[in-house]
Amino acid sequence: MKSYNLDRFRGIIIAMYSCYDVSGEIDLAAARRLARYYADSGVKGLYVGGSSGEGMLQSVIERKLMLEAVVAEVGNELTVIAHVGAPATRDSVELAIHAEKIGAHAVSAVPAIYYRLSAPSVEAHWQAIIDSTELPFIIYHIPQTTGFQLSVGLLSKMAAQEKVIGVKISAESTFELQQFKAAGGEDFLVLNGPDEQYLAGRSIGADGGIGGTYGVMPELFLHIENCYAQGKMAEALKWQFIVNALIVDLLSFPSLYGACKAILKLRGYDTGEPRMPLLPVAETDLPRIHALNERILGFAAQVKGEGL
Ligand SMILES: CC(=O)N[C@H](C=O)[C@@H](O)[C@H](O)[C@H](O)CO
Ligand SMILES: CC(=O)C(=O)O
């Protein structure tokens, strides 16, 4: 049995975008405003510095600043998970120690990137992070970007540790998700990565999800989750399909995060442009962003009207 309160990690957790000012520096005030917006939306938590959070494009100091702003604003209301994955183990360890010191609720990390790492190497990397704090640890499995295929064997070995409370799986195989759940056992969390299959992941064993598109439509994911929790599968599926059409549109821009940030800007949350090499939305594409935002807001209003 894990001694941590796992319930605080079950549900909808937004993979938060980073916030920059006009010159591209971390914007702490904007980060606090965005975190507040999300807390008010009713989600369970925030995942800071992951893929959507551009952690890999920031210095260690910048990553600490982003996390500090989020914890300061919503640390008492939401679960805050610090993604500390980095190419160098010592940077990840430094980030993990900092996350614990300032009051984040968990740390999470992808395997170290760039080198083609052996399983023992990834295990040692994760272990160094785990051993550096008393915080619970969530493995981040995203083989399409890291190139590392996490085996059920290594997953099981990691999951046997008290501090390793779960895995966020962004691989698109729901079978793999189910196998991780079976290997980890009842009190091991599996969090769905691909937003397009939130409902599928949830149905086959996921305890919730951490997603990069939740940040522009938290209401819709909360609605899918509520429908699912109440056994209203047809309704949940209907909304998953609506969400998927929106995601297809989001993915049609030069970068997903640029599109999400442009949408938030229309709502009064200016988080700046994504960092290069991630591209912002071109001026000529702004009408398309505007239309997409209107569609999302329309669906969000519909969901609110339906209650649940
Ligand atoms: C590959 C990737 O970044 N996956 C994210 C996290 O798992 C998802 O949240 C996607 O951003 C989302 O499903 C859109 O494709
Ligand atoms: C999508 C996600 O979970 C991330 O941005 O890390």
Side-chain angles (χ1 to χ4, degrees), residues 86-245:
T89 307
R90 60 186 296 160
D91 286 345
S92 291
V93 167
E94 182 180 336
L95 286 166
I97 292 170
H98 167 263
E100 179 173 50
K101 195 177 87 192
I102 67 155
H105 304 110
V107 290
S108 176
V110 291
I113 54 161
Y114 181 68
Y115 293 105
R116 272 183 177 269
L117 299 175
S118 62
S121 190
V122 170
E123 182 181 353
H125 173 73
W126 279 335
Q127 198 61 51
I129 300 170
I130 293 163
D131 291 344
S132 71
T133 78
E134 292 306 315
L135 290 176
F137 182 77
I138 298 172
I139 293 170
Y140 186 175
H141 175 53
I142 180 161
Q144 63 271 49
T145 64
T146 65
F148 183 74
Q149 297 296 333
L150 175 62
S151 68
V152 172
L154 178 54
L155 188 277
S156 305
K157 193 172 165 195
M158 303 296 305
Q161 300 183 51
E162 172 72 20
K163 286 190 221 167
V164 182
I165 61 164
V167 62
K168 159 172 158 49
I169 168 169
S170 293
E172 288 181 353
S173 163
T174 49
F175 171 58
E176 193 176 15
L177 186 158
Q178 182 271 323
Q179 291 292 291
F180 283 180
K181 184 70 183 178
E186 258 316 297
D187 63 345
F188 180 75
L189 302 171
V190 175
L191 298 165
N192 186 76
D195 306 352
E196 300 85 338
Q197 45 195 56
Y198 179 81
L199 188 59
R202 190 80 169 85
S203 304
I204 205 163
D207 299 276
I210 299 173
T213 68
Y214 300 179
V216 290
M217 45 182 154
E219 306 85 357
L220 303 188
F221 282 96
L222 285 165
H223 187 65
I224 294 173
E225 172 58 29
N226 287 340
C227 289
Y228 175 80
Q230 294 179 22
K232 299 178 177 165
M233 276 306 277
E235 183 71 3
L237 200 55
K238 178 185 110 180
W239 282 97
Q240 178 75 68
F241 289 171
I242 288 171
V243 159
N244 287 5

Side-chain angles (χ1 to χ4, degrees), residues 67-86:
L67 184 68
E68 284 171 17
V70 174
V71 171
E73 184 66 34
V74 301
N76 292 330
E77 299 160 61
L78 298 184
T79 301
V80 179
I81 305 170
H83 176 255
V84 302

Side-chain angles (χ1 to χ4, degrees), residues 39-79:
D40 294 345
S41 77
V43 299
K44 198 63 169 273
L46 298 176
Y47 190 86
V48 181
S51 315
S52 308
E54 304 179 24
M56 291 293 178
L57 304 180
Q58 298 169 352
S59 68
V60 167
I61 292 169
E62 290 176 317
R63 295 178 69 170
K64 289 181 182 176
L65 288 174
M66 258 309 292
L67 184 68
E68 284 171 17
V70 174
V71 171
E73 184 66 34
V74 301
N76 292 330
E77 299 160 61
L78 298 184
T79 301

